[in-house]
Amino acid sequence: MKAIVLKEIGSPENLILAEVPLPKIKDNEVLVQVKAIAINPVDAFVRRNQAALEMIYALKGDEENIILGWDVAGIVTEVGSAVTKFKTGDEVFGNFNFIGQANAYAEFVAAPEEELVIKPANVSFEAAAGATMAALTAWASLVKFAKVKKDDKIIIYGASGGVGHYAVQIAKHFGAYVIGVASGDNKDFVLGLGADEFFDYKTQKVEDFINDADIVHDAVWVEADVNSTEDTHLARSLKTIKKGGILSSIVVYPDQQFIDKAKAEKNITVQRVNVTPNDSYLKDIENIAELLSAGEIKTHISHLFPLADMAKAHEIIQTKNAVGKIILVP
C-alpha cells in the first residue's frame, strides 16, 4: 500500500510517499481502508521535534517506517477474531492510538475497535475525519471541563482554526453567547459559524472591552512562558473572566504558580485541556457523530489534498493560521 513515511526529523519535505506493507490486525482490531485523513498542528510538531516524536508517537527505535497521523475515516475491510462491534463494509471514523502509533497517513490502517465509531450515513468521509481530534478537543474543553450551559458568555480565541471552529459551534449548540476572536480576515467566517460577536486580535485587545466572561477557551499557539510577565497571552485572558469563571488553555501549559494565583485572586479555575486516552472517549466521539449527523456542527474544509501532497499540507498547518480543517484523501 501507499503511505507517507517520515524519513527523518525536520521539514515537511521529509514526508515521503512510499510503498509499505499492509498492516496486520490484532484480534481486537479492524483493518480500515482509509478514505480521508485529517491533520492537526500536533502532527507538524511531532514531525520536526525529536522529543515529541519519542513521546507522542511513542517511538521505539525499531520501526521499519515512521508513519504519522491519528485522524481517519474509512471502510472496514477486515475484522479481528475478537471484534464484535463492526463488520466488513462498515463506514467508520475516529482518532485512535493517541498518544501512540496510529500510522494514519496511509491507504490502510489497523485500528482498535473500541476507538472507532460508525460514520453517520449523511456525513462525508472528509467531514468525519476532520471532526476527530479537533472536535474532541473542543468538546473536552467546553463540555467536560467548563460544563458549558445556556447563556454562558464564552470567549473563543483562535475561533477560525481547527479546534476553534468546532468550539464556536459546540458552544452555540448548548445555548451560549459566543465571542469569537481571530484575524479580521476571518470575521465573516466566524460570525457565519454562529458567533454573536467578533474581535480582531490584531487590532483589538479583548480585555479592554470584556471582563465578565464565564469561560475562556484559549487555543492560541504562543511560545512565551505564561509566567514570565503579567502581559502574557493567558494573563490577559484572565482579565476578561469574571470571578469564579473558567480558563481552558488548549495549547499553553500554565504552571502551578499561575493556576494558584488565578484561583486566589479571582477564584478562576485554570486547566490545560487536551484529548488523551480515557474511559469517556467513545461516548465523546459518539456525541460528535450525533451532532454531525444532525447538522449541529459542520466541518469547514479549507484545503483538500491527495495523500501525495502531505508535505504541502504540513507547510500550511505549521503556520498555525489554517482556517478550519486540512483533509487529505488517499
Side-chain angles (χ1 to χ4, degrees):
M1 69 172 184
K2 290 182 172 62
I4 298 294
V5 173
L6 178 64
K7 301 303 291 184
E8 61 182 356
I9 288 292
S11 68
E13 288 71 27
N14 290 343
L15 294 165
I16 306 298
L17 185 67
E19 287 286 340
V20 303
L22 198 71
K24 296 179 181 179
I25 61 172
K26 299 176 183 177
D27 291 347
N28 67 331
E29 292 180 331
V30 296
L31 187 66
V32 177
Q33 181 184 12
V34 177
K35 293 296 185 179
I37 302 160
I39 65 171
N40 301 281
V42 69
D43 297 37
F45 181 61
V46 171
R47 186 206 72 234
R48 65 178 184 265
N49 186 295
Q50 183 67 35
L53 182 68
E54 292 173 2
M55 182 183 73
I56 298 173
Y57 183 73
L59 185 70
K60 303 182 186 71
D62 60 353
E63 291 84 359
E64 184 176 349
N65 296 293
I66 297 174
I67 302 171
L68 303 182
W70 292 273
D71 295 0
V72 300
I75 301 172
V76 174
T77 59
E78 184 182 346
V79 298
S81 60
V83 170
T84 59
K85 183 177 173 182
F86 300 113
K87 65 182 185 302
T88 300
D90 282 343
E91 298 181 348
V92 297
F93 76 108
N95 160 256
F96 65 97
N97 288 350
F98 186 82
I99 307 287
Q101 299 182 7
N103 301 323
Y105 292 179
E107 292 182 316
F108 289 86
V109 296
E113 70 165 329
E114 67 270 15
E115 295 188 47
L116 296 175
V117 296
I118 292 290
K119 180 188 72 65
N122 63 336
V123 176
S124 71
F125 287 107
E126 294 83 0
T132 44
M133 186 184 295
L136 285 166
T137 301
W139 184 271
S141 171
L142 296 177
V143 182
K144 297 176 69 178
F145 171 53
K147 296 183 170 45
V148 58
K149 61 185 183 301
K150 182 176 171 57
D151 296 329
D152 276 345
K153 180 183 280 191
I154 300 180
I155 299 172
I156 296 176
Y157 287 95
S160 61
V163 175
H165 91 291
Y166 290 120
V168 171
Q169 296 176 82
I170 289 170
K172 291 305 298 181
H173 168 73
F174 281 92
Y177 183 89
V178 175
I179 300 161
V181 183
S183 167
D185 293 341
N186 297 317
K187 178 179 179 178
D188 290 344
F189 172 61
V190 173
L191 292 174
L193 294 170
D196 300 283
E197 291 185 53
F198 178 86
F199 281 85
D200 179 354
Y201 74 89
K202 293 182 178 179
T203 62
Q204 298 169 297
K205 292 184 177 180
V206 182
E207 64 270 21
D208 289 345
F209 299 90
I210 299 173
N211 62 8
D212 62 347
D214 297 285
I215 301 165
V216 167
H217 167 97
D218 195 309
V220 175
W221 286 81
V222 293
E223 304 298 334
D225 174 2
V226 296
N227 294 298
S228 62
T229 171
E230 289 298 314
D231 195 38
T232 59
H233 183 73
L234 284 191
R236 294 196 301 273
S237 290
L238 287 179
K239 298 176 182 179
T240 67
I241 305 174
K242 69 182 183 182
K243 289 183 178 180
I246 293 172
L247 172 56
S248 176
S249 178
I250 309 304
V251 179
V252 176
Y253 283 87
D255 70 14
Q256 196 59 47
Q257 179 184 349
F258 183 90
I259 293 170
D260 292 344
K261 185 176 181 181
K263 178 62 74 172
E265 293 184 354
K266 293 180 67 176
N267 192 31
I268 292 173
T269 301
V270 179
Q271 183 170 311
R272 204 277 186 173
V273 177
N274 61 2
V275 175
T276 55
N278 58 71
D279 292 340
S280 68
Y281 163 83
L282 192 58
K283 181 59 179 175
D284 294 343
I285 198 164
E286 287 174 345
N287 285 325
I288 296 298
E290 290 176 6
L291 292 180
L292 285 169
S293 182
E296 289 291 305
I297 62 172
K298 297 179 181 179
T299 299
H300 173 77
I301 300 172
S302 59
H303 298 87
L304 183 65
F305 293 115
L307 182 63
D309 285 347
M310 184 63 74
K312 187 182 297 184
H314 267 241
E315 288 176 359
I316 297 171
I317 199 70
Q318 71 184 16
T319 67
K320 304 168 186 174
N321 293 318
V323 175
K325 293 297 298 180
I326 300 171
I327 305 296
L328 296 102
V329 292

